[in-house]
Short mmCIF file of all heavy atoms in Angstrom, two decimals:
data_model
loop_
_atom_site.label_atom_id
_atom_site.label_comp_id
_atom_site.label_asym_id
_atom_site.label_seq_id
_atom_site.Cartn_x
_atom_site.Cartn_y
_atom_site.Cartn_z
N LEU L 1 128.19 130.71 45.95
CA LEU L 1 129.16 131.41 46.78
C LEU L 1 130.19 130.43 47.33
O LEU L 1 131.39 130.71 47.37
CB LEU L 1 128.46 132.15 47.92
CG LEU L 1 127.67 133.39 47.53
CD1 LEU L 1 126.88 133.91 48.72
CD2 LEU L 1 128.58 134.49 46.99
N GLU L 2 129.72 129.27 47.76
CA GLU L 2 130.64 128.25 48.27
C GLU L 2 131.57 127.75 47.17
O GLU L 2 132.78 127.62 47.37
CB GLU L 2 129.84 127.09 48.87
CG GLU L 2 130.73 125.99 49.43
CD GLU L 2 129.93 124.84 50.02
OE1 GLU L 2 128.69 124.89 49.95
OE2 GLU L 2 130.56 123.90 50.52
N LYS L 3 131.01 127.48 45.99
CA LYS L 3 131.83 126.99 44.88
C LYS L 3 132.87 128.03 44.45
O LYS L 3 134.03 127.68 44.18
CB LYS L 3 130.93 126.63 43.69
CG LYS L 3 129.99 125.48 43.94
CD LYS L 3 130.68 124.13 43.83
CE LYS L 3 130.79 123.68 42.41
NZ LYS L 3 131.32 122.30 42.30
N PHE L 4 132.46 129.27 44.39
CA PHE L 4 133.39 130.32 43.98
C PHE L 4 134.47 130.54 45.05
O PHE L 4 135.62 130.84 44.72
CB PHE L 4 132.66 131.62 43.69
CG PHE L 4 131.98 131.64 42.34
CD1 PHE L 4 130.63 131.89 42.23
CD2 PHE L 4 132.69 131.40 41.19
CE1 PHE L 4 129.99 131.91 40.99
CE2 PHE L 4 132.08 131.41 39.94
CZ PHE L 4 130.72 131.66 39.85
N ALA L 5 134.08 130.42 46.32
CA ALA L 5 135.08 130.56 47.39
C ALA L 5 136.15 129.49 47.24
O ALA L 5 137.35 129.76 47.42
CB ALA L 5 134.40 130.45 48.75
N ARG L 6 135.74 128.28 46.89
CA ARG L 6 136.72 127.21 46.68
C ARG L 6 137.60 127.51 45.47
O ARG L 6 138.81 127.31 45.50
CB ARG L 6 136.00 125.89 46.47
CG ARG L 6 135.32 125.36 47.72
CD ARG L 6 134.53 124.10 47.41
NE ARG L 6 133.95 123.54 48.61
CZ ARG L 6 133.14 122.49 48.62
NH1 ARG L 6 132.85 121.89 47.49
NH2 ARG L 6 132.65 122.04 49.75
N ALA L 7 136.98 128.01 44.41
CA ALA L 7 137.72 128.30 43.18
C ALA L 7 138.75 129.40 43.39
O ALA L 7 139.83 129.38 42.80
CB ALA L 7 136.76 128.69 42.06
N GLU L 8 138.43 130.36 44.25
CA GLU L 8 139.32 131.49 44.46
C GLU L 8 140.39 131.21 45.51
O GLU L 8 141.29 132.01 45.70
CB GLU L 8 138.52 132.73 44.86
CG GLU L 8 137.67 133.29 43.72
CD GLU L 8 137.07 134.65 44.06
OE1 GLU L 8 137.79 135.46 44.68
OE2 GLU L 8 135.92 134.89 43.71
N GLY L 9 140.28 130.08 46.21
CA GLY L 9 141.28 129.75 47.21
C GLY L 9 141.26 130.74 48.37
O GLY L 9 140.22 131.06 48.91
N LYS L 10 142.42 131.23 48.74
CA LYS L 10 142.54 132.09 49.92
C LYS L 10 141.67 133.33 49.84
O LYS L 10 141.06 133.76 50.81
CB LYS L 10 144.01 132.50 50.12
CG LYS L 10 144.25 133.28 51.40
CD LYS L 10 145.72 133.57 51.61
CE LYS L 10 145.94 134.35 52.90
NZ LYS L 10 147.38 134.63 53.14
N ARG L 11 141.57 133.94 48.64
CA ARG L 11 140.76 135.15 48.51
C ARG L 11 139.28 134.87 48.76
O ARG L 11 138.52 135.75 49.14
CB ARG L 11 140.92 135.76 47.11
CG ARG L 11 142.22 136.52 46.90
CD ARG L 11 142.10 137.47 45.72
NE ARG L 11 141.18 138.54 45.98
CZ ARG L 11 139.97 138.63 45.45
NH1 ARG L 11 139.49 137.70 44.67
NH2 ARG L 11 139.21 139.68 45.71
N GLY L 12 138.86 133.61 48.53
CA GLY L 12 137.46 133.27 48.75
C GLY L 12 137.04 133.44 50.19
O GLY L 12 135.87 133.68 50.47
N GLY L 13 138.00 133.32 51.12
CA GLY L 13 137.69 133.51 52.52
C GLY L 13 137.26 134.92 52.87
O GLY L 13 136.72 135.17 53.94
N GLU L 14 137.52 135.86 51.95
CA GLU L 14 137.13 137.25 52.21
C GLU L 14 135.63 137.43 52.16
O GLU L 14 135.11 138.39 52.71
CB GLU L 14 137.80 138.17 51.18
CG GLU L 14 139.33 138.20 51.28
CD GLU L 14 139.95 139.04 50.18
OE1 GLU L 14 139.17 139.65 49.41
OE2 GLU L 14 141.18 139.10 50.10
N PHE L 15 134.93 136.56 51.46
CA PHE L 15 133.49 136.77 51.34
C PHE L 15 132.66 135.58 51.81
O PHE L 15 131.44 135.66 51.84
CB PHE L 15 133.11 137.11 49.89
CG PHE L 15 133.35 136.02 48.89
CD1 PHE L 15 132.43 135.00 48.70
CD2 PHE L 15 134.51 136.00 48.12
CE1 PHE L 15 132.64 133.99 47.77
CE2 PHE L 15 134.73 135.00 47.19
CZ PHE L 15 133.80 133.99 47.01
N TYR L 16 133.30 134.47 52.20
CA TYR L 16 132.52 133.27 52.51
C TYR L 16 133.00 132.62 53.80
O TYR L 16 134.19 132.39 53.98
CB TYR L 16 132.62 132.27 51.36
CG TYR L 16 131.79 131.03 51.58
CD1 TYR L 16 130.41 131.06 51.37
CD2 TYR L 16 132.37 129.86 52.02
CE1 TYR L 16 129.64 129.93 51.58
CE2 TYR L 16 131.61 128.72 52.23
CZ TYR L 16 130.24 128.76 52.01
OH TYR L 16 129.47 127.65 52.22
N THR L 17 132.05 132.31 54.70
CA THR L 17 132.32 131.55 55.91
C THR L 17 131.62 130.21 55.78
O THR L 17 130.44 130.17 55.40
CB THR L 17 131.78 132.28 57.16
OG1 THR L 17 132.33 133.59 57.22
CG2 THR L 17 132.13 131.53 58.43
N PRO L 18 132.29 129.09 56.05
CA PRO L 18 131.66 127.78 55.90
C PRO L 18 130.31 127.71 56.62
O PRO L 18 130.16 128.20 57.74
CB PRO L 18 132.68 126.83 56.53
CG PRO L 18 133.99 127.51 56.34
CD PRO L 18 133.70 128.98 56.49
N ALA L 19 129.34 127.09 55.95
CA ALA L 19 127.97 127.08 56.46
C ALA L 19 127.86 126.48 57.86
O ALA L 19 127.10 126.98 58.70
CB ALA L 19 127.07 126.33 55.49
N SER L 20 128.61 125.40 58.14
CA SER L 20 128.47 124.77 59.45
C SER L 20 128.99 125.65 60.57
O SER L 20 128.49 125.60 61.70
CB SER L 20 129.18 123.41 59.47
OG SER L 20 130.58 123.53 59.34
N VAL L 21 129.96 126.50 60.27
CA VAL L 21 130.47 127.44 61.28
C VAL L 21 129.44 128.53 61.54
O VAL L 21 129.17 128.90 62.70
CB VAL L 21 131.82 128.06 60.82
CG1 VAL L 21 132.29 129.11 61.81
CG2 VAL L 21 132.87 126.98 60.65
N VAL L 22 128.84 129.05 60.48
CA VAL L 22 127.80 130.07 60.63
C VAL L 22 126.62 129.52 61.43
O VAL L 22 126.10 130.18 62.34
CB VAL L 22 127.31 130.57 59.26
CG1 VAL L 22 126.21 131.62 59.43
CG2 VAL L 22 128.46 131.16 58.45
N LYS L 23 126.21 128.30 61.12
CA LYS L 23 125.08 127.69 61.83
C LYS L 23 125.40 127.52 63.31
O LYS L 23 124.51 127.69 64.16
CB LYS L 23 124.73 126.35 61.20
CG LYS L 23 124.08 126.47 59.82
CD LYS L 23 123.85 125.11 59.19
CE LYS L 23 123.27 125.27 57.78
NZ LYS L 23 123.13 123.94 57.10
N THR L 24 126.64 127.18 63.63
CA THR L 24 127.02 127.04 65.04
C THR L 24 126.88 128.37 65.77
O THR L 24 126.32 128.43 66.88
CB THR L 24 128.47 126.53 65.16
OG1 THR L 24 128.59 125.27 64.46
CG2 THR L 24 128.85 126.32 66.61
N LEU L 25 127.38 129.45 65.18
CA LEU L 25 127.24 130.77 65.78
C LEU L 25 125.77 131.11 66.03
O LEU L 25 125.39 131.56 67.11
CB LEU L 25 127.87 131.83 64.88
CG LEU L 25 129.39 131.85 64.76
CD1 LEU L 25 129.82 132.82 63.66
CD2 LEU L 25 130.04 132.26 66.08
#
């Protein structure tokens, strides 16, 4: 999911939140 989010660029943000941000929440 992380790799595909990077590959898709801006659209990848629609389905993926960086792991360190999620862990902080």
Side-chain angles (χ1 to χ4, degrees):
L1 287 173
E2 180 180 2
K3 294 281 277 187
F4 281 124
R6 290 176 177 175
E8 290 190 40
K10 186 175 180 179
R11 283 200 67 254
E14 296 176 4
F15 65 84
Y16 183 78
T17 304
S20 66
V21 176
V22 179
K23 289 176 183 176
T24 303
L25 289 171

